[in-house]
Every structure is written in C-alpha cells, then in structure tokens.
Amino acid sequence: QKEVEQDPGPLSVPEGAIVSLNCTYSNSAFQYFMWYRQYSRKGPELLMYTYSSGNKEDGRFTAQVDKSSKYISLFIRDSQPSDSATYLCAMTPNFGNEKLTFGTGTRLTIIP
Amino acid sequence: NAGVTQTPKFRVLKTGQSMTLLCAQDMNHEYMYWYRQDPGMGLRLIHYSVGEGTTAKGEVPDGYNVSRLKKQNFLLGLESAAPSQTSVYFCASSYSPKTSGLLNEQFFGPGTRLTVL
C-alpha cells in the first residue's frame, strides 16, 4: 500500500463547476500538506500548502485537511479551462524534512 | 532568473548506452532532487542532495548515479540504460527549511523525456 493514495482520474467537469480533488494517506506523522499543479509537458509548481488540520483559502482554491481521517482535499470554485492540469498532493512530517511524499496525481479537464 | 533548467529536453538511447542529464538552478538553493515520473506511479525520488558535495539515495536509486560538485548543478547519470528507465525525469531544487525558515517548496525544471530502446 502506498503512503499517499490519489485517484488518478481522469476527471472532466464543465466550466464553472466546483471541483473536488482528494488524497488519503497512511502516515499519521504527516503535518504539512501541499498541492502542486502540473500542466501538460511541464514541471509541477506549488499551488498552496496547509499545516495540520483546517482550511486554507486562496482565491478560487481551498485546501482542506482532516488529520483524524487522514484525508486532504483541494476545492476549485468557478473552474476555468485554464485549471485543466494534473494536480498532485504532497506531504511531509515536519518543517525541516528535506523530502516530500507525492501522490500519483489526478488529471483534470475543464470543458468550456 | 531562469529558475531550474534541464539539459537535454529529449533523448533516445539504445539499451546499454550511457548518458548524463544536467540540472542547473540559479536560486542559490541548498537542496536538489532528481525524480522520475511514470504513468500511474507519480513522482518517485531517485537521488537527492542537501548540499554541495553530498548526495543521498531516494526511493528508486538503482541504475542511476549522481554528483553535485557545484551548488548550482546536479547531474544524473545512467551508466547502462535499460528500457525500464524510459521515463520523464524532473529535477527540482529548494531552500533548506533549516536555514531559510521556509517550508520545503520544491521548484521543478521542465523535464527530460528519455526513451530507451
């Protein structure tokens, strides 16, 4: 079993819809949670991160962490065609850790 | 700033050939990483470095070697390429959280698409 599980999709939704992307993890030591966005044939780039449990909002994006369930989510409101990409979750147990554990990524397509 | 650059962008090798992938960063980052990305497998860490002259094994190090002679460069070598090494290779770099006080945000290069026949 992988430490981080992520539904690979693909996920297709119409423009303007709310998108929910999720990851589950097994290592209870993880405390920092990140979402990376990867456009086709490009490298991943950090979208946002959260610490421990709770929500964090950044424009149309909201990251949510439920440590009791070992479950994290990324919500995209008012989805746009430019949001079409692969979204990877990543996590690390502590601030000083040099390594991240990545999910496999979910491929998202927003249909105009 | 160019950020993280990778050379070459594409390469086709025959089984048994060797090659070196070059990663360069101009952000004065202490940490550097090599990943491979395969369908359904996500990003898997091959080797990483926490400073000039130091390297460490990641999740899938077999068949690869690395060197970090200069802080800004991280080289990935394949001594005898195998078809199983067909993949997209990404280099990344980050500040050291211990010295910068910043979370380990990794900045990725554009990738190298390698095919081994």
Side-chain angles (χ1 to χ4, degrees), chain B residues 71-92:
Chain B
K71 185 177 184 179
Q72 63 268 34
N73 295 337
F74 196 27
L75 278 64
L76 178 71
L78 286 74
E79 291 185 346
S80 179
S84 60
Q85 294 177 304
T86 293
S87 187
V88 181
Y89 291 86
F90 286 101
C91 176

Side-chain angles (χ1 to χ4, degrees), chain A residues 1-8 21-28 30 33-35 64-74 88-91 101-106:
Chain A
Q1 184 186 1
K2 293 181 181 177
E3 271 192 302
V4 180
E5 300 278 358
Q6 187 174 5
D7 187 337
L21 304 166
N22 312 295
C23 288
T24 59
Y25 62 95
S26 57
N27 187 348
S28 58
F30 288 139
F33 304 91
M34 304 172 186
W35 286 96
Q64 193 172 78
V65 175
D66 181 350
K67 289 191 70 181
S68 62
S69 302
K70 298 191 182 67
Y71 188 88
I72 69 170
S73 302
L74 177 70
L88 301 99
C89 61
M91 44 199 82
T101 301
F102 285 88
T104 53
T106 299

Side-chain angles (χ1 to χ4, degrees), chain A residues 34 36 38 41 49 95 98, chain B residues 33 37 97 101 104 106 113:
Chain A
M34 304 172 186
Y36 280 79
Q38 184 178 19
R41 296 185 173 264
Y49 77 89
F95 193 81
E98 61 268 15
Chain B
Y33 308 82
Q37 187 175 40
N104 183 8
Q106 295 185 12
R113 293 182 176 274

Side-chain angles (χ1 to χ4, degrees), chain A residues 39-67:
Chain A
Y39 289 117
S40 180
R41 296 185 173 264
K42 301 286 186 183
E45 56 180 356
L46 182 67
L47 192 58
M48 58 194 304
Y49 77 89
T50 53
Y51 167 68
S52 194
S53 287
N55 293 359
K56 184 175 182 179
E57 190 174 316
D58 184 0
R60 296 184 296 109
F61 298 87
T62 299
Q64 193 172 78
V65 175
D66 181 350
K67 289 191 70 181

